[in-house]
Amino acid sequence: MDTEERVKRATEIFRKNGATHEFRRLLRELREQDPVAFSVVEVYVHTERSQFSLAIKKGARLLPRVGSAPYLVWRLLVSIGIAYRGMGEISTGEAYFQRALEMSELMGDKKVISWVKFQIYVTKYFRAEYVQAYKGFLSYQKDPYAWKPHRADYYKGAYALITGQTEEALKLLDSFLENEEEGPFWLGGLELRGLTLRILGKFSEAMENFLESAEGYIGYDAAYAAFPVAKALELARLARLQLPPKDLIRKSIALAKEGSWGEQAAAQEAEALLMEDDSDAAEGLCESAESYMKACQNMEALFSGFTAAFLAWKTTSNVFLRAINLLAPIIPLYPGFKKDPLLGNYLSGVEILLKEISGPNEERRRIRAFLIGECKVLIDGKEIPLEKWHNNKAIRAFIYFLLSPSHRIAHDHLFYLLWPRRSYNKRSRFLLYTAIDTIRRQLGKRELLTKRRDFYQLEDVWTDLGEIENLMRLADAARDPAERKEYLVKARNLAKGDLLPEFLYDKHID
């Protein structure tokens, strides 16, 4: 049995059974007999367990070692792409999927090509480009080479739920669960089915689905277990149901600490929902909603933020407006969630307020950057001229932060963007630290540039480029032609001019 066959066998066993004794024994054998196969499988398992940072680190190191084996390269590219997507680094994940597509085309395997295209459609879903993603899944199911075409039913079900076709969503999810073998993806379908049942008012059934999903993920040692647990705790609090078992909550939160932004946001939500005081819970829920948004988990942000606003409104907490401001840009993308029997009536009551603040939200952000036409940056309303920084590397780094998705870049990647010909080591790191320190001093508020794990991140940012992307998503989701035209006109007005004309000949900006 060669390395490729060993990888296929091990991933299949894990997909079907999780971290069983048989799988652990196989891993030990692979470590001794075929270290490359072991490492490829290890990256895959980290991805399945939502340990995305580990998957990226180990996968990136491993890629040069498997360069002559197309299947192994493809397997790693897909795993790394899924990991980046899971961390909210949507564009980076998409770039890896494009490379995986090129590799699969070289391999000539039409099933593999179709499956990579499926991942690209999933990425559009994570971007909240729901209409385009839905069209992609329809296309996937018509492809004669589609691998497990029923998997598109999961995302079609999500789209039906988002757009208010709740009964249709339940049918699609039941079809998906019937055809999908039990494993992490099946458990995700069960979680989404639980959310659908909640919207239908079937709270006890919904709770059963959430708990079964969470227990299943814990069986895989998956950090994602915190997602269904958070949904179960939210349902228990709002519908006055019995709390999930303490041991289940404890295990899921512990696993989430090893996960990425989304899993940690779910743990934040779970911990907030366990607080007895509504005001304290609202504060914690609002923080978790903000974290969900950074991880591109908009659906979770919506429910966590809704619950924060509701609890804050009950207690006259000042978190109310903070939560509403956070949700305003994404509310129009989820008309189906207004049917929620627990929060729907409340949401209808504040809909007028949401519409009043759902336009361009630059006035509410501490960092406001206009990148199209003349580059202009304001901090708390005061303009800071970049040309007075006297540190070209710091200026470039700041611009890269403004352009990057979620305004977040891994520290080593940022170093190579700025100094592509130098090695990143203990001696050279001071160059990056100097640039970061310059940015913080010029911003005047060190908390506006934070370091989270391996990533530097700008906080509380609005850019005209990001606003255009948001307006395009809203236009894509709008059903009223007049409303769609209004969004497109706003986007066109913002797009007049060249992007960063002051920064010519920078390949990264290009």
Side-chain angles (χ1 to χ4, degrees), residues 126 128 130 292-293 296-302 330 333-334:
F126 273 82
Y130 295 122
Y292 276 135
M293 289 285 279
C296 294
Q297 297 284 353
N298 291 343
M299 191 184 298
E300 273 69 21
L302 205 65
I330 63 171
L333 298 175
Y334 301 93

Side-chain angles (χ1 to χ4, degrees), residues 134-299:
Y134 179 74
K135 291 176 180 177
F137 294 127
L138 290 177
S139 172
Y140 179 74
Q141 287 192 315
K142 294 176 183 176
D143 186 344
Y145 296 99
W147 181 73
K148 296 189 176 183
H150 65 271
R151 286 198 166 188
D153 284 339
Y154 170 91
Y155 292 100
K156 287 166 64 181
Y159 180 75
L161 182 63
I162 287 166
T163 54
Q165 305 167 70
T166 319
E167 294 287 354
E168 178 65 14
L170 190 61
K171 289 179 184 177
L172 286 163
L173 291 169
D174 283 342
S175 173
F176 163 77
L177 291 167
E178 183 179 344
N179 289 287
E180 176 70 8
E181 61 190 21
E182 292 194 23
F185 201 39
W186 186 88
L187 294 168
L190 198 63
E191 176 198 12
L192 189 59
R193 187 178 189 273
L195 185 58
T196 305
L197 290 168
R198 165 181 163 165
I199 301 297
L200 288 169
K202 300 178 180 180
F203 300 144
S204 297
E205 287 182 63
M207 180 65 80
E208 289 174 7
N209 280 188
F210 291 146
L211 296 182
E212 185 179 349
S213 175
E215 288 166 357
Y217 277 118
I218 286 173
Y220 284 90
D221 293 332
Y224 190 88
F227 278 80
V229 163
K231 288 181 175 67
L233 284 167
E234 186 180 300
L235 181 59
R237 185 160 190 145
L238 294 175
R240 300 177 184 271
L241 300 180
Q242 185 176 348
L243 287 173
K246 290 182 180 179
D247 194 48
L248 185 71
I249 298 170
R250 180 185 59 78
K251 286 180 180 178
S252 68
I253 290 176
L255 285 169
K257 304 295 185 183
E258 301 300 317
S260 188
W261 318 111
E263 290 72 33
Q264 291 178 32
Q268 276 183 290
E269 181 182 8
E271 289 172 335
L273 287 163
L274 290 169
M275 296 177 182
E276 292 186 10
D277 182 77
D278 282 345
S279 181
D280 292 339
E283 177 77 30
L285 285 166
C286 191
E287 289 177 4
S288 73
E290 289 166 348
S291 298
Y292 276 135
M293 289 285 279
K294 290 173 184 174
C296 294
Q297 297 284 353
N298 291 343
M299 191 184 298

Side-chain angles (χ1 to χ4, degrees), residues 58 112 157 214 316 345:
K58 293 181 179 180
V112 169
T316 66
N345 289 336

